[in-house]
Every structure is written in structure tokens, then in C-alpha cells.
């Protein structure tokens, strides 16, 4: 299930299930979006990106969907594995190549 | 691939002292680097944009005299936290822009005691 509170929202899934992480972005003029994975004490790790002229892009086990009408981005992870447990951030290019990060979602994968 | 090296990974300093964090692009030239700050269980907050050969551009609310940024070469940007206080304790992360993508450093955990 998904919970929102004072801490990062957490999505808990069973190993092998598909995960969907959502993100709302703020700037309708943003033309480039990236999903990052961050493990504790480390820098963000690139997962997948998408430009505003696309609404879907697929990678290995991951898919990003972009809905510009409602300024919404989602990351789908197929067959989630324990190694996928981390915090996931969406980021938008807010102009001048500045990358602005969303609030983040913690993904907890249970065996 | 593009690699960014950030040092130190961890630093503890006393209140009132200054700390310098380095961000190096190892195998590419980066005319633009970015500095972020991250509090526990929070997102990355953009502090400033570091431009080679010119003054950094700071985000609203970030004290430029507190967080000194120098981008003296195409491969090195430094962030100096001056007169550090316990509330400056945080995780600092740099990123380098190379046409087409961003590469992040591994972060620096600063603890001010």
C-alpha cells in the first residue's frame, strides 16, 4: 500500500509484483524529465528519461509515462526485486538546464 | 561513461570553521555544475548553478556568502561552507551537466559539531 505523512511516502510491494511510482511536476514548460533511484548515503542514479514530445518510454524492466495535460509522470517497474528498494525521485528540467527534484517515494520490496 | 568524483564523502567540523567540498568531472569537461542539499528523508534542493569562469547563480533563499562556489576550471567546482553551524549539517551533492545529460557525485555528508 501507499502512505503519505511527515516522512517520504512509502510504496510497499511484494517481490515479483509490478510497482508504479507517481510524480506530479510543477512547470508546464518543462521539456525533459528524469527518474532517479537513490540508495541511502549515495548520489542519485539515473534510471530513465523522457522528453515532452513523448508520452511513453521503455527501458529494461522500467517504463516511464508522461501526461502533460495533468502534469503527471509515473515510473513502472516490472517484476520488482529486493535490489529495487530505494528512494525514487522524478526530476524536471526547469529551464537553464536546472534539474528540479520532486518529493520522492520510498519503495520497499518484501520477499 | 561520464564520471563525477566528489570529495570528501564525509566530514565532521567544528562550529565556526569552514569546509570545502570538491566536485570533479573525471572524463569530460563541464561548463555547468549544480550543487544540491538534501536533509534526511527529504528531496534534493537545488542551491546554486556553478558556471565555469563566472559567478555562480544562487537559488532564492540560499546565502551566497555562506555557501561560496568557485568553478575555476572546466573539471572542478568547489563549494565552501563558511562559518559552519550545526544547522548546516546535511548531505551535499553535486551534478555536472554535459550536453544531453547530468552526472551526479556520490555526495558529502557534513556534520557540524
Amino acid at each position: 500500500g501507499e502512505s503519505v505523512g511527515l516522512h517520504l511516502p512509502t510504496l510497499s510491494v511484494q517481490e515479483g509484483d509490478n510497482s508504479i511510482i507517481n510524480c506530479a511536476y510543477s512547470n508546464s514548460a518543462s521539456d525533459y524529465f528524469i527518474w532517479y533511484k537513490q540508495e541511502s548515503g549515495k548520489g542519485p542514479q539515473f534510471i530513465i528519461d523522457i522528453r515532452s514530445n513523448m508520452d511513453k518510454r521503455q527501458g529494461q524492466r522500467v517504463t516511464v509515462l508522461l501526461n502533460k495535460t495533468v502534469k503527471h509522470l509515473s515510473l513502472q517497474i516490472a517484476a520488482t526485486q529486493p535490489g529495487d528498494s530505494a528512494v525514487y525521485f522524478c526530476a524536471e528540467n526547469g529551464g537553464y538546464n536546472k534539474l528540479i527534484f520532486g518529493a520522492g517515494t520510498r519503495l520497499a520490496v518484501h520477499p | 561513461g561520464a564520471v563525477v568524483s566528489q570529495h570528501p564523502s564525509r566530514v565532521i567540523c567544528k562550529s565556526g570553521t569552514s569546509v570545502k567540498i570538491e566536485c570533479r568531472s573525471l572524463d569530460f569537461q563541464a561548463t555547468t555544475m549544480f550543487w544540491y542539499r538534501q536533509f534526511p528523508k527529504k528531496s534534493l534542493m537545488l542551491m546554486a548553478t556553478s558556471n565555469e569562469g563566472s559567478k555562480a547563480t544562487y537559488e532564492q533563499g540560499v546565502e551566497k556568502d555562506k555557501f561560496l562556489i568557485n568553478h575555476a576550471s572546466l573539471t572542478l567546482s568547489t563549494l565552501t561552507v563558511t562559518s559552519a553551524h550545526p544547522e548546516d549539517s546535511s548531505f551535499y551533492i553535486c551534478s555536472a551537466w554535459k550536453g544531453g545529460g547530468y552526472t551526479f557525485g556520490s555526495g558529502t555528508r557534513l556534520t557540524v559539531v
Side-chain angles (χ1 to χ4, degrees):
Chain A
E2 186 172 337
S3 63
V4 176
L6 293 177
H7 302 291
L8 286 171
T10 299
L11 177 64
S12 295
V13 299
Q14 290 293 121
E15 182 178 357
D17 286 352
N18 296 333
S19 302
I20 300 176
I21 301 171
N22 297 303
C23 176
Y25 63 92
S26 56
N27 188 350
S28 57
S30 293
D31 60 359
Y32 181 52
F33 305 87
I34 308 173
W35 277 101
Y36 286 97
K37 172 185 181 182
Q38 188 182 30
E39 296 174 320
S40 182
K42 297 182 179 180
Q45 175 187 350
F46 174 92
I47 300 174
I48 191 168
D49 60 359
I50 189 168
R51 298 205 173 270
S52 59
N53 61 351
M54 303 173 69
D55 53 20
K56 180 179 180 179
R57 190 161 189 232
Q58 289 184 292
Q60 189 175 16
R61 281 203 308 122
V62 294
T63 301
V64 54
L65 299 178
L66 174 63
N67 185 331
K68 294 182 289 294
T69 302
V70 294
K71 293 189 287 187
H72 182 269
L73 204 63
S74 70
L75 175 70
Q76 301 177 2
I77 304 174
T80 314
Q81 303 168 359
D84 295 327
S85 294
V87 178
Y88 290 79
F89 294 98
C90 67
E92 60 183 301
N93 182 330
Y96 302 102
N97 292 325
K98 292 195 294 187
L99 209 53
I100 307 301
F101 282 76
T105 297
R106 180 176 301 280
L107 177 65
V109 182
H110 303 285
Chain B
V3 177
V4 169
S5 174
Q6 187 174 341
H7 289 283
S9 57
R10 288 179 175 272
V11 57
I12 300 173
C13 70
K14 293 184 177 180
S15 288
T17 62
S18 295
V19 174
K20 180 184 285 188
I21 302 170
E22 293 188 347
C23 182
R24 293 181 184 272
S25 55
L26 296 186
D27 50 1
F28 66 101
Q29 293 181 331
T31 56
T32 302
M33 292 185 176
F34 303 92
W35 287 96
Y36 291 84
R37 182 175 184 176
Q38 186 177 30
F39 290 107
K41 302 186 189 302
K42 297 293 184 182
S43 186
L44 284 75
M45 182 193 78
L46 180 64
M47 299 174 67
T49 302
S50 171
N51 301 297
E52 188 270 335
S54 65
K55 291 184 178 181
T57 305
Y58 290 82
E59 295 299 303
Q60 191 173 8
V62 178
E63 300 175 62
K64 62 180 181 180
D65 296 328
K66 173 77 171 173
F67 300 99
L68 299 180
I69 292 172
N70 184 282
H71 194 154
S73 77
L74 286 170
T75 60
L76 174 65
S77 175
T78 61
L79 168 68
T80 301
V81 182
T82 64
S83 187
H85 290 284
E87 56 264 32
D88 297 325
S89 298
S90 191
F91 193 54
Y92 293 88
I93 307 171
C94 71
S95 170
W97 161 258
K98 183 183 180 186
Y102 305 84
T103 303
F104 283 82
S106 53
T108 297
R109 173 77 58 197
L110 171 62
T111 303
V112 185
V113 297

